[in-house]
Amino acid sequence: MSRSPVPSTPAREDTLPVQEIFGPVPQGEGPYTGRAAVFVRLGRCNLHCPPCDSKLTWDTSRYDLGATCPPRAAEDIVAAAVALGAGDHRLTVISGGEPLLWQRTRAWEMLLTALPGKIHVESNGTISPTGLTRQRVAHFSVSPKTGAMGAADPAKRRIVPSVLADFARLAEQGRAIFKFVAGDLPEVEEIAELVRAHGLPQGRVWVMPLGDSAESWETAGRAVVERVMEHGFHFSGRLHLALGVR
Ligand code: SF4
């Protein structure tokens, strides 16, 4: 009689907290909108944005993160992403939460080493990419938090000048963009002031209207689009809201 091998429990340092892995879906935001992508959403964040649409990854006041983001072995994450089509022409987008919280772990290294194809990372711009992350990640979508998004955290926690300068250099090299959220005109002006103060490359800035539904996104979009154009920024959709997909 043959027995299937008993799966061994992975060492803790070989795991990452995973909220969800899904795809392929069109990337919904920013310059890669429409590109086929598999998303890996990791748990935990160092910020607490009130309009966050990923509270399952960090909000311990509402969720048991052990249940919403259980640890998964890096090799299991890779297998799940590949089963959904990661690699070849499909991107893998590692999101969160704040995924760069994990970049110094062995599991992160295993993940980045084993994932095939292009890897994109979505970050809140408070942690600089180091080592393998810097080498292996093709594109960083960096979203510093301003306006309503940043309302719950002090500015010094949300806006880290040395990290923004680092990502600005990557943006100049074509490897990063900045994606801000704006719900109204004063928030667009706050973004413009931050871009000016930190010398972020204007042509690498996207502004995405605040909205968690196609309707609310459209309302905010109509309110801000003209001013976004006047500042020379790009405008980001949220394709997944319009299509009613993830
Ligand atoms: S940084 Fe992103 S994941 Fe973290 S709380 Fe803010 S919106 Fe949510």
Side-chain angles (χ1 to χ4, degrees), residues 44-55 57-58 96-98 123-124 143 145 149 153:
R44 313 294 189 271
C45 191
N46 55 346
L47 298 181
H48 313 83
C49 309
C52 177
D53 59 8
S54 303
K55 287 183 176 166
T57 64
W58 59 267
E98 173 47 56
S123 169
N124 61 27
S143 299
K145 302 309 177 197
M149 290 299 289
D153 292 295

Side-chain angles (χ1 to χ4, degrees), residues 10-31:
R12 189 176 175 77
E13 59 266 35
D14 293 340
T15 70
L16 292 164
V18 176
Q19 197 254 309
E20 57 180 349
I21 301 173
F22 64 96
V25 292
Q27 165 62 280
E29 303 172 355

Side-chain angles (χ1 to χ4, degrees), residues 27 30 41 62 90 116 122 155 159 166 174 188 216 227 230:
Q27 165 62 280
R41 187 181 305 286
R62 295 193 198 184
R90 294 187 180 111
E122 298 186 336
I159 306 298
D166 197 20
V188 177
S216 58
R227 197 72 186 119
E230 286 168 0

Side-chain angles (χ1 to χ4, degrees), residues 88-171:
D88 188 17
H89 61 283
R90 294 187 180 111
L91 310 170
T92 300
V93 181
I94 306 179
S95 190
E98 173 47 56
L100 294 184
L101 287 170
W102 301 105
Q103 70 172 335
R104 295 182 189 278
T105 67
R106 191 164 87 182
W108 175 268
E109 192 171 318
M110 293 165 73
L111 181 66
L112 262 56
T113 302
L115 272 173
K118 291 256 189 319
I119 299 175
H120 289 195
V121 161
E122 298 186 336
S123 169
N124 61 27
T126 59
I127 300 169
S128 278
T130 60
L132 180 66
T133 307
R134 220 173 175 84
Q135 294 165 25
R136 179 69 180 88
V137 174
H139 174 77
F140 295 92
S141 179
V142 183
S143 299
K145 302 309 177 197
T146 54
M149 290 299 289
D153 292 295
K156 67 176 185 208
R157 191 172 176 85
R158 297 179 278 113
I159 306 298
V160 184
S162 61
V163 177
L164 292 183
D166 197 20
F167 278 121
R169 283 188 288 274
L170 287 168

